[in-house]
């Protein structure tokens, strides 16, 4: 484990890390939004933009607002926020699945896809309300003057309404994901079981673009990718309508739902700031929290697990997703205690064997320190865990984690993800959300307080 300072503020005494992070975000700005990476991800991604806005607020609150407004400009009439908004200036062969695969303007017509924008048809974790609230707080005066909070609140409530009305496929209140790309942790071993039931798409039916810019050892296998393509194509052929019987892959994921709950709390704060009633959001957050505990808490594992809705059984793989409920306010104290033990225990090693929390169980048979979401540490996830640790009073561990995020981000060239043991860069570099969360942690350290 790399030796690190215990003081996050000491990680950037001359502002060089901040300047480098700012350069990443400014170079990845397209004029209306920010790409995660010009090579590997040359369009706008949903939860990326939320994390990017959180960092951009420290450079330009106005640009951070535009980041979110641009994304929500592609919102579907049914309320969903698509996981990709395509830039028509980017060649079709630069990324797969490209717009001509998703065919959102035609295949998604019945679900209310925009007619003038090409998007994907699936979604990503709903961290946007939390991002919007933090962006507003960066400059409340300018936010009010532009009407940012009023406009984005209507969009956010429609987005959460979509999840409540169309994605409660298990019937207990939690949102379900219908593709491994939706929870954001695309290639997690947690999906191996549900994916094994999926007939792969023919290898000849598509050409992967990710291997042009990324190492094969870092990326999903061809077999996994063929199953991803099959699921996406089946959803497209069903008109992107959310009928439970149409989905072969249906999972309740603890990270997705924890971000949903945290964002419901943020919506409550936004509603109150606008003079509206926050109670509906707080009530939904409370109900979701109850179901999160009831459906996904696994006492013997010491963390939350995903549930395969098709079999109604928990998936017994320990993923960092099961630690993200630390973001949820008001968890029972015994659960909080267990999560705090697990994050630093042998399965994740925070503070003992690893400086950053890995994406998957260090002792799991599927653990891989290089391959996408099967072990490497991700900066946005560690940013979220830092907030969760601090929320539940683990201040020293939160400080150490913040310092580790900053040191690893700078040393890796703002890598997409890193080896949790060595900090070696994996995936692409100059990655936008890595730079963004570094900016947020630096800003918090500079004021001597945690991010608001």
């Amino acid at each position: 484990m790399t030796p690190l300072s215990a003081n996050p503020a000491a990680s950037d005494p001359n502002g060089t890390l901040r300047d480098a992070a700012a350069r990443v975000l400014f170079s990845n700005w397209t004029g209306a939004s920010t790409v995660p990476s010009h090579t590997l991800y040359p369009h706008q991604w949903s939860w990326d933009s939320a994390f990017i806005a959180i960092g951009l607020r420290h450079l330009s609150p106005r640009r951070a607002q535009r980041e979110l407004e641009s994304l929500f400009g592609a919102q579907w009439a049914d309320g969903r926020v698509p996981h990709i908004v395509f830039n028509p200036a980017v060649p079709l062969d630069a990324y797969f699945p490209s717009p001509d695969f998703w065919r959102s303007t035609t295949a998604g017509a019945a679900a209310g896809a925009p007619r003038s924008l090409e998007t994907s048809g699936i979604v990503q974790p709903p961290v946007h309300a939390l991002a919007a609230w933090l962006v507003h707080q960066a400059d409340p005066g300018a936010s009010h003057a532009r009407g940012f909070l009023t406009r984005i609140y209507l969009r956010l409530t429609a987005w959460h309404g979509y999840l409540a009305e169309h994605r409660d496929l298990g019937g207990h209140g939690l949102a379900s994901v219908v593709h491994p790309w939706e929870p954001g942790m695309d290639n997690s071993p947690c999906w191996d079981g549900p994916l094994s039931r999926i007939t792969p798409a023919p290898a000849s039916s598509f050409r992967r673009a990710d291997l042009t810019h990324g190492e094969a050892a870092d990326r999903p296998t061809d077999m996994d990718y063929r199953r991803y393509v099959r699921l996406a194509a089946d959803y497209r052929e069903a008109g992107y309508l959310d009928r439970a019987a149409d989905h072969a892959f249906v999972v309740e994921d603890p990270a997705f739902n924890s971000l949903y709950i945290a964002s419901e709390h943020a919506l409550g704060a936004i509603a109150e700031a606008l003079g509206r009633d926050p109670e509906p959001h707080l009530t939904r957050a409370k109900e979701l929290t109850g179901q999160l505990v009831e459906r996904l808490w696994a006492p013997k594992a010491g963390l939350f697990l995903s549930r395969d809705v098709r079999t109604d059984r928990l998936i017994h793989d320990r993923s960092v997703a099961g630690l993200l409920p630390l973001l949820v306010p008001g968890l029972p104290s015994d659960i909080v205690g267990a999560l705090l033990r697990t994050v630093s225990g042998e399965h994740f090693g925070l503070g003992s064997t690893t400086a950053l929390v890995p994406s998957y169980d260090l002792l799991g048979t599927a653990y891989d320190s290089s391959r996408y979401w099967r072990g490497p540490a991700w900066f946005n996830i560690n940013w979220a865990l830092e907030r969760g640790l601090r929320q539940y009073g683990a201040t020293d561990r939160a400080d150490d984690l913040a310092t580790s995020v900053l040191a690893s981000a700078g040393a890796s060239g703002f890598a997409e993800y890193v080896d949790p043991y060595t900090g070696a860069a994996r995936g692409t570099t100059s990655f936008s959300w890595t730079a963004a969360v570094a900016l947020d942690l630096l800003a918090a350290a500079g004021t001597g307080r945690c991010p608001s």
Side-chain angles (χ1 to χ4, degrees):
M1 194 171 67
T2 306
L4 299 167
S5 163
N7 177 10
S11 299
D12 196 30
N14 300 313
T16 54
L17 184 61
R18 184 185 189 279
D19 290 346
R23 283 195 297 273
V24 170
L25 292 186
F26 289 147
S27 66
N28 288 346
W29 175 254
T30 66
S33 63
T34 310
V35 296
S37 159
H38 281 291
T39 55
L40 201 52
Y41 307 101
H43 300 284
Q44 183 178 24
W45 261 258
S46 173
W47 75 324
D48 290 72
S49 276
F51 287 111
I52 289 164
I54 289 168
L56 273 177
R57 69 189 176 121
H58 302 294
L59 303 175
S60 169
R62 174 70 177 86
R63 185 172 288 189
Q65 293 173 29
R66 287 184 65 193
E67 183 76 37
L68 293 172
E69 290 167 342
S70 173
L71 175 67
F72 276 85
Q75 187 171 27
W76 291 27
D78 65 3
R80 87 180 72 194
V81 178
H83 97 297
I84 304 174
V85 181
F86 290 105
N87 180 349
V90 174
L92 288 178
D93 62 358
Y95 179 81
F96 179 83
S98 52
D100 58 344
F101 172 88
W102 295 102
R103 304 173 205 160
S104 63
T105 55
T106 54
R115 294 182 179 180
S116 59
L117 286 171
E118 294 286 355
T119 76
S120 66
I122 61 174
V123 303
Q124 279 189 322
V127 66
H128 310 89
L130 175 60
W133 179 238
L134 294 176
V135 167
H136 166 76
Q137 288 180 304
D139 190 342
S143 174
H144 283 305
R146 292 190 66 248
F148 167 71
L149 214 55
T150 299
R151 286 180 285 106
I152 204 72
Y153 176 72
L154 296 175
R155 297 284 194 169
L156 290 165
T157 53
W159 168 215
H160 285 217
Y162 166 78
L163 294 175
E165 294 166 21
H166 297 277
R167 286 303 189 91
D168 179 15
L169 301 179
H172 296 273
L174 296 179
S176 292
V177 294
V178 298
H179 193 289
W181 290 336
E182 291 200 317
M185 302 183 190
D186 308 11
N187 197 38
S188 171
C190 297
W191 319 139
D192 290 354
L195 275 178
S196 69
R197 302 192 298 263
I198 309 304
T199 302
S204 60
S205 64
F206 66 95
R207 186 188 69 82
R208 294 177 63 173
D210 60 321
L211 298 181
T212 303
H213 304 290
E215 295 292 333
D218 292 354
R219 305 295 299 168
T221 66
D222 282 344
M223 183 57 70
D224 285 335
Y225 222 91
R226 289 169 61 190
R227 290 188 169 108
Y228 302 157
V229 171
R230 171 68 69 185
L231 282 169
D234 287 350
Y235 195 22
R236 179 194 66 208
E237 296 309 306
Y240 298 115
L241 299 176
D242 292 300
R243 296 179 293 255
D246 291 343
H247 295 295
F249 180 100
V250 185
V251 171
E252 292 172 349
D253 174 63
F256 191 102
N257 281 284
S258 295
L259 291 168
Y260 183 14
I261 295 166
S263 278
E264 278 293 348
H265 282 283
L267 274 179
I270 293 171
E272 194 164 16
L274 293 173
R276 300 171 183 254
D277 183 7
E279 197 54 39
H281 302 298
L282 301 181
T283 297
R284 180 182 286 177
K286 184 176 180 180
E287 292 170 350
L288 287 168
T289 301
Q291 287 303 314
L292 182 75
V293 172
E294 177 70 23
R295 298 274 293 166
L296 305 184
W297 174 241
K300 291 183 179 179
L303 78 172
F304 290 80
L305 299 175
S306 295
R307 182 175 289 273
D308 184 344
V309 176
R310 279 273 158 256
T311 63
D312 200 26
R313 294 178 180 175
L314 291 175
I315 299 169
H316 291 284
D317 279 282
R318 291 179 173 90
S319 159
V320 72
L323 299 172
L324 280 191
L326 283 168
L327 278 174
V328 173
L331 286 177
S333 59
D334 61 323
I335 291 179
V336 172
L339 290 172
L340 294 178
R341 290 190 295 273
T342 299
V343 73
S344 297
E346 61 181 352
H347 294 284
F348 294 93
L350 180 63
S352 55
T353 57
T354 65
L356 299 178
V357 182
S359 52
Y360 182 68
D361 182 1
L362 295 167
L363 304 180
T365 57
Y367 174 80
D368 186 327
S369 63
S370 298
R371 199 175 294 279
Y372 209 59
W373 292 107
R374 300 180 81 85
W378 291 73
F379 291 93
N380 64 325
I381 299 301
N382 277 269
W383 173 90
L385 288 172
E386 190 270 350
R387 290 180 69 87
L389 290 169
R390 201 174 295 281
Q391 172 173 247
Y392 283 108
T395 306
D396 289 344
R397 271 188 282 181
D399 285 344
D400 289 344
L401 182 54
T403 301
S404 296
V405 168
L406 293 173
S408 296
S412 68
F414 301 99
E416 184 181 1
Y417 47 97
V418 295
D419 184 306
Y421 288 117
T422 68
R426 294 285 185 260
T428 189
T429 54
S430 296
F431 198 71
S432 289
W433 77 24
T434 303
V437 300
L439 283 168
D440 195 55
L441 293 173
L442 282 170
T447 60
R449 57 179 173 77
C450 66
S452 56

